[in-house]
Amino acid sequence: IAMYIGQQRGRFRVNGLAPGFVRLVEGQISYFGPHHGGTISIANIMSVNLITYEEIKSWRLDQNGKPSLIIPVAATGGELLFDAFTKLKDLNLENMVRQVSRENENSAVIWRSDDYCGNSQCLH
């Protein structure tokens, strides 16, 4: 299984440079970009989506009651998100890697929590 995860991690890496950088410290994802940024706890992620934002392929991490965090896929340190996303219950690793490597601009839902409410303003 370690070999499988290593192969998937290699496929997750994206060539290119996008603005900003990602940090992952003690279960907290931080993105620092030139125009926006923020933090989200892995435990608070309700949904992971691939989107095109300002013409850049990006992750949109949704959390209830707070704004989404948008992180360019090719941001410096973006490969750290692989380890963060593998902590999400029932994430389909093969689907995630396949979607990252696709060359289209369509959005894709990568993962949603069981109690995803579908509205970033929803509170529990």
Side-chain angles (χ1 to χ4, degrees):
I1 193 151
M3 183 184 235
Y4 172 76
I5 290 174
Q7 289 173 333
Q8 300 299 29
R9 181 176 283 123
R11 289 177 56 207
F12 184 82
R13 285 191 177 92
V14 175
N15 292 330
L17 293 175
F21 62 94
V22 177
R23 294 287 180 253
L24 177 62
V25 178
E26 296 184 13
Q28 186 90 356
I29 299 167
S30 299
Y31 171 69
F32 305 95
H35 305 293
H36 67 280
T39 62
I40 186 171
S41 169
I42 296 169
N44 291 339
I45 296 174
M46 293 279 104
S47 176
V48 176
N49 300 278
L50 266 175
I51 65 169
T52 300
Y53 179 78
E54 297 180 351
E55 300 181 18
I56 298 172
K57 191 175 207 177
S58 301
W59 298 105
R60 188 186 78 216
L61 309 179
D62 298 322
Q63 55 188 331
N64 287 339
K66 295 184 181 177
S68 299
L69 179 58
I70 297 174
I71 303 172
V73 169
T76 301
E79 69 277 0
L80 296 172
L81 296 176
F82 180 90
D83 293 326
F85 294 161
T86 59
K87 301 204 182 316
L88 300 172
K89 181 183 176 214
D90 298 327
L91 176 109
N92 182 327
L93 191 61
E94 178 62 33
N95 177 56
M96 176 181 69
V97 172
R98 185 175 47 251
Q99 294 295 334
V100 167
S101 63
R102 289 179 66 191
E103 292 293 330
N104 67 38
E105 295 184 12
N106 295 334
S107 296
V109 175
I110 303 301
W111 177 85
R112 284 193 176 151
S113 73
D114 293 337
D115 58 349
Y116 175 76
C117 70
N119 179 343
S120 64
Q121 301 305 309
C122 181
L123 296 173
H124 288 273

